[in-house]
Amino acid sequence: MEEQGSKAVSTFDNIFTNNRIQMLKILLPWLAPGQQGGFAVYIKLLELQYAMTFLHRHPAERLFGNGRQLSANFLQGDNGDTLELLDELLPFSGIREREKIENMKNMIANFKKMQEMMEMIQMMQELFPEGMGGDNPMDFFSGMSGMSGMGDMPDMSSLFQMFGGGDS
């Protein structure tokens, strides 16, 4: 993933520069230390000027990527692209940013597990409508409380209570 992130950075740098700017970057280390700072700012100003001219000549044109775009609703549907983006950002992140990115990845993974669990409960409601106590998906577990006579399997209501879902 680090290679993809570096590739995106170098692609950006290649689009928004020209040979003259690259030549100035090569010249920079050859200058006296007192001149390097001002020259570096001059190079950045030239890059800004070049970028603005380039964008003016190519309005609304896709400059980067393969056409994929992040969805504003990254918690629904396939969020593999979001996870891929977060992985690409990790090598360029500081400690705090890394923690936040890891927390976001964990949140997305937990949300996905919760969605899968809700889909499973909905499927169970459709398969066993008589075992459901109503529209609440959690009523499924109370409907399963009579299934304790299944060998070594514990009572479903006690499992539900163990996970904090019931008071009975």
Side-chain angles (χ1 to χ4, degrees):
M1 287 300 157
E2 185 176 341
E3 183 180 307
Q4 276 186 313
S6 296
K7 183 179 176 187
V9 170
S10 65
T11 299
F12 177 87
D13 288 342
N14 287 334
I15 288 175
F16 292 109
T17 195
N18 58 27
N19 288 344
R20 181 173 174 235
I21 294 172
Q22 289 174 334
M23 289 170 60
L24 294 175
K25 287 180 180 181
I26 292 170
L27 176 62
L28 180 67
W30 291 86
L31 297 177
Q35 296 173 327
Q36 289 181 352
F39 202 70
V41 171
Y42 175 68
I43 290 171
K44 288 298 181 187
L45 286 172
L46 287 176
E47 286 181 320
L48 176 61
Q49 182 183 25
Y50 182 82
M52 291 173 64
T53 303
F54 182 90
L55 292 174
H56 182 71
R57 290 181 185 158
H58 304 91
E61 184 178 311
R62 176 170 284 285
L63 301 173
F64 307 100
N66 54 11
R68 298 182 306 185
Q69 292 180 335
L70 286 180
S71 167
N73 194 359
F74 64 89
L75 293 176
Q76 290 187 341
D78 181 22
N79 46 25
D81 287 348
T82 303
L83 293 172
E84 186 178 329
L85 169 66
L86 292 173
D87 284 337
E88 285 184 39
L89 292 174
L90 278 174
F92 302 100
S93 304
I95 294 171
R96 285 187 174 171
E97 293 166 326
R98 186 176 290 267
E99 287 175 5
K100 288 178 183 178
I101 290 172
E102 290 295 341
N103 286 340
M104 287 176 68
K105 288 173 56 178
N106 289 334
M107 179 190 70
I108 291 170
N110 289 336
F111 191 78
K112 188 171 185 169
K113 287 178 187 176
M114 187 174 66
Q115 281 180 321
E116 290 171 356
M117 225 189 306
M118 293 304 289
E119 289 172 6
M120 177 67 91
I121 289 171
Q122 189 174 13
M123 183 183 74
M124 295 301 276
Q125 280 180 321
E126 292 170 6
L127 288 174
F128 303 107
E130 66 281 350
M132 300 298 145
D135 291 333
N136 183 355
M138 293 305 162
D139 288 341
F140 170 75
F141 291 104
S142 62
M144 299 296 283
S145 64
M147 298 182 65
S148 61
M150 298 178 66
D152 294 335
M153 191 171 177
D155 185 355
M156 294 299 276
S157 61
S158 64
L159 281 175
F160 184 61
Q161 285 175 349
M162 182 171 60
F163 291 108
D167 299 325
S168 55

